[in-house]
Amino acid sequence: MKATGRQRFVLPAIIALAAALLTVTPGPASAHGTTIDAPSRNYGCWARWGNQFQNPAMQTQDPMCWQAWQTDTNAMWNWNGLYRENVQGNHQAAIPNGQLCSAGRTGDGRYRAMDNIGNWQAKNVSRSFTVQLLDQAGHGADYIRLYVTRQGFNPLTQALGWSNLELLAQVGYTPSAQWTRVTTPFNGFQMNIPVTANGRTGRHMVYAVWQASHMDQSFYFCSDVNFV
């Protein structure tokens, strides 16, 4: 049957809309976890702009999130999926310098914008602060390691490398039953880990390595902080 003029106009529009819906997921696609305080880079972008991720105001108000949304929206919709499998504890071998925030361009490079250097929004913290890690799926932890960049590192101009980090806090084997059950901001389990970062002033990064217990699955999170 021959298509009318109206059909020729409507059908391509329907196809384009369907493709857009398949590309952009309106929320986290799977339940894993991340650091929510200080927020990891992609979680922070989602928390601030998820309801208006096409708002052009982001380009001037939050330019690092703007470039991240333009690079791959799924990095923010899947803020809880930044992990690698089968690393076997060899984190430095698996993740090259300059790619720590994307876990070595994991997920076919989905999170690559997290590595970009610039003025990411940073949370003000004191030298004694608490990192909150959300475990939505009840994975638990073989261990959690929290690093803070050394004094003199400038995240506004330098790419993050392993030598820039100092291990300042860690937690050993902890099943999810020993975490705090929470319902906000999401259902899951939360671990609060105190960190003392003596001698730090100004802008820094917190780097978390969470080795989940359910399988050899390693999560990596970059959070931006400002010591005041």
Side-chain angles (χ1 to χ4, degrees):
M1 180 174 66
K2 185 177 180 180
T4 66
R6 182 180 179 186
Q7 288 172 324
R8 286 194 296 270
F9 174 80
V10 172
L11 288 175
I14 293 173
I15 293 170
L17 177 60
L21 291 173
L22 287 172
T23 301
V24 179
T25 308
S30 58
H32 294 294
T34 191
T35 47
I36 59 174
D37 190 8
S40 61
R41 284 181 170 179
N42 54 331
Y43 175 78
C45 289
W46 176 83
R48 291 190 295 274
W49 297 98
N51 292 331
Q52 48 180 335
F53 69 98
Q54 294 176 316
N55 187 341
M58 189 191 335
Q59 189 167 9
T60 54
Q61 295 177 17
D62 201 347
M64 296 310 295
C65 281
W66 171 261
Q67 61 86 31
W69 280 104
Q70 305 311 304
T71 300
D72 196 326
T73 58
N74 284 317
M76 273 60 70
W77 297 128
N78 293 278
W79 51 261
N80 54 15
L82 210 170
Y83 64 86
R84 297 185 70 92
E85 293 182 342
N86 303 316
V87 173
Q88 299 180 352
N90 297 319
H91 305 293
Q92 294 191 34
I95 302 177
N97 288 329
Q99 297 182 17
L100 274 67
C101 297
S102 68
R105 307 289 166 86
T106 192
D108 295 325
R110 172 189 295 166
Y111 300 96
R112 61 192 181 278
M114 303 303 112
D115 292 319
N116 289 345
I117 303 167
N119 189 17
W120 291 86
Q121 286 204 16
K123 179 178 180 180
N124 289 339
V125 296
S126 67
R127 292 183 184 87
S128 294
F129 63 103
T130 299
V131 170
Q132 296 180 349
L133 194 154
L134 175 69
D135 175 3
Q136 289 178 280
H139 292 328
D142 284 347
Y143 54 82
I144 302 167
R145 297 172 182 167
L146 296 179
Y147 302 82
V148 177
T149 47
R150 301 177 188 278
Q151 188 64 22
F153 175 79
N154 186 352
L156 279 67
T157 59
Q158 294 176 260
L160 183 64
W162 289 101
S163 64
N164 302 125
L165 297 171
E166 181 181 3
L167 179 64
L168 293 184
Q170 56 185 325
V171 175
Y173 173 70
T174 315
S176 61
Q178 296 180 23
W179 296 41
T180 301
R181 193 76 170 88
V182 295
T183 57
T184 57
F186 301 96
N187 289 325
F189 304 85
Q190 184 173 299
M191 174 72 73
N192 297 330
I193 308 170
V195 181
T196 299
N198 291 328
R200 302 311 198 276
T201 58
R203 287 292 298 269
H204 280 272
M205 295 172 67
V206 178
Y207 191 63
V209 177
W210 167 29
Q211 183 66 43
S213 290
H214 69 301
M215 60 183 295
D216 188 359
Q217 199 170 70
S218 308
F219 292 77
Y220 306 91
F221 313 123
C222 281
S223 301
D224 295 273
V225 296
N226 183 49
F227 288 100
V228 294

